[in-house]
Amino acid sequence: MPEYRTRRRVGIKDVAREAGVSLGTVSNVLNRPEVVAEATRVRVLNVIDSLGYVRAEGARQLRGWASRVLAVLVLDLTNPFFTALASGVEQAAREADLGIMVCTGAHEPAQAARHLSLITSHQIRGAVVASGEGVGRTVAAFRRNAVPFVVADQNAPQPAACSVGIDDVAGGHAAVRHLIERGHRSLVYVSGPDRLQQVRDRRSGALMAVSEAGLLPMALRELPCAALTVGAGRDAGHRILGLPDRPTAVFCANDLLALGVLQALYEAGLRVPDDIAVVGYDDIEFAASAVVPLTSVRRLAVAMGRQAGRLLIEDTARGVTHEHAHVVLQPELVVRRSTMGRPAQ
């Protein structure tokens, strides 16, 4: 049996002692947070996160894996990619006569602590974790508390866990190579938060395509965005319009950014792709139905979720010897009208 399943569990007394508060205060933070002063609540939640405390009654039952529910932790359900990923996990769960519980915002420490408490107190069988930059902290807490997990949409921080991801370097490479093949030599990468590995990998692939074409790195300028949202994309589109040397093509780190860029360009009277070509990433449902159908790098979100769910179910099956797998799915460039006007001059 792995060592992490046998370590001494952190108790409520440990949390109270570390936070310098009473047992009652810790109990209120967990059960009635509205009655606790914000500074105290934040301090206790930070200690809960750092120690990995969960309610013992759920963990005792979890060790027997009696639950018929899987958890799915995603970054943001307003992004259709994560909705599709959760749908894939649900398909795998349904095949095994199981259900799912979806949790969002697990990249925030306080929210991650609440999710962990909820998962253990409700005897959740295990979790598929696709929570962005917070995945390392989340899976470390799961490991300390013997919660089985599979990492989705990126590589597992530790090798002793299953993961299902996408080759985002290849995806970024395919997107920019396509633009270069269409004759574009002045490009912009509209990126998201640099703490996200996916954003960095897509940049790496894009720069690889630039280098392979014999272009200088400055042929691909970067416009960073604080979020991967339509609103952030609109702001990036306005910044592109204000550039003294406007690019002929834009590669966006996801489709929501690309849709926002399209809106800004359309409002300014520019033609896509004749004036500026645009490529997105993820190939969400809305990409094909945009005012100008969007060329995008397709990530198989449903397939990723289904594969992750199946690996988790196998890992938690009684009497089954499970060997950890690391699955890397390949993206596919889907070419639509947003890049197929006349070639750039």
Side-chain angles (χ1 to χ4, degrees):
M1 180 175 291
E3 179 183 348
Y4 69 85
R5 294 188 188 277
T6 59
R7 290 183 58 178
R8 184 185 76 83
R9 293 185 51 78
V10 174
I12 192 171
K13 291 182 179 178
D14 299 309
V15 174
R17 181 171 57 251
E18 184 72 17
V21 298
S22 68
L23 294 176
T25 298
V26 177
S27 177
N28 282 336
V29 169
L30 293 172
N31 299 295
R32 295 192 302 154
E34 68 279 1
V35 304
V36 183
E38 181 179 1
T40 303
R41 185 170 67 249
V42 169
R43 184 167 77 252
V44 171
L45 286 172
N46 286 338
V47 170
I48 287 173
D49 179 59
S50 65
L51 295 182
Y53 166 75
V54 293
R55 298 173 184 177
E57 67 273 13
R60 282 197 298 269
Q61 293 165 324
L62 183 63
R63 281 194 286 268
W65 294 331
S67 174
R68 303 198 62 79
V69 177
L70 306 178
V72 185
L73 280 70
V74 297
L75 191 65
D76 181 7
L77 272 181
T78 63
N79 185 331
F81 172 82
F82 291 111
T83 305
L85 189 149
S87 175
V89 178
E90 195 275 333
Q91 289 179 18
R94 190 168 61 245
E95 291 169 359
D97 195 25
L98 303 175
I100 69 167
M101 176 182 74
V102 180
C103 305
T104 64
H107 59 292
E108 301 172 0
Q111 192 68 6
R114 294 188 184 96
H115 291 334
L116 182 60
S117 178
L118 186 67
I119 285 168
T120 54
S121 64
H122 283 72
Q123 312 166 45
I124 302 302
R125 179 168 177 156
V128 172
V129 183
S131 54
E133 70 272 21
V135 68
R137 180 179 57 249
T138 300
V139 301
F142 282 175
R143 189 177 295 281
R144 287 194 301 268
N145 290 278
V147 178
F149 64 89
V150 171
V151 175
D153 196 29
Q154 58 188 294
N155 295 325
Q158 299 94 355
C162 292
S163 64
V164 184
I166 296 284
D167 188 344
D168 283 317
V169 174
H173 180 272
V176 172
R177 182 180 62 187
H178 168 68
L179 291 171
I180 291 172
E181 288 174 347
R182 295 293 301 164
H184 297 283
R185 297 295 182 268
S186 176
L187 305 97
V188 161
Y189 174 45
V190 176
S191 66
D194 201 59
R195 61 185 180 271
L196 293 175
Q197 183 65 47
Q198 296 92 330
V199 169
R200 299 195 301 271
D201 285 348
R202 292 163 203 174
R203 179 198 303 121
S204 296
L207 288 171
M208 188 184 305
V210 168
S211 176
E212 289 174 359
L215 302 176
L216 295 175
M218 65 186 66
L220 180 71
R221 289 171 284 176
E222 182 170 358
L223 287 182
C225 295
L228 297 168
T229 63
V230 173
R234 277 196 302 270
D235 175 71
H238 293 142
R239 284 186 281 160
I240 290 169
L241 292 168
L243 292 174
D245 180 17
R246 199 165 64 202
T248 63
V250 179
F251 167 45
C252 298
N254 79 347
D255 285 342
L256 298 182
L257 288 173
L259 292 173
V261 169
L262 281 175
Q263 288 181 11
L265 299 180
Y266 180 80
E267 291 167 0
L270 270 69
R271 298 166 299 167
V272 175
D274 291 345
D275 294 321
I276 299 182
V278 180
V279 177
Y281 206 102
D282 287 341
D283 195 31
I284 62 176
E285 182 179 356
F286 303 124
S289 58
V291 60
V292 178
L294 181 66
T295 293
S296 184
V297 178
R298 176 175 293 165
R299 296 202 297 159
L300 302 175
V302 174
M304 183 192 304
R306 186 165 56 242
Q307 180 73 51
R310 288 171 175 170
L311 287 172
L312 180 61
I313 291 165
E314 180 183 317
D315 188 21
T316 57
R318 294 177 185 272
V320 173
T321 301
H322 177 75
E323 187 170 329
H324 292 302
H326 303 282
V327 180
V328 179
L329 303 175
Q330 291 301 310
E332 173 191 359
L333 181 69
V334 180
V335 178
R336 298 190 181 96
R337 193 153 59 89
S338 70
T339 59
M340 292 305 292
R342 65 175 184 267
Q345 302 299 316

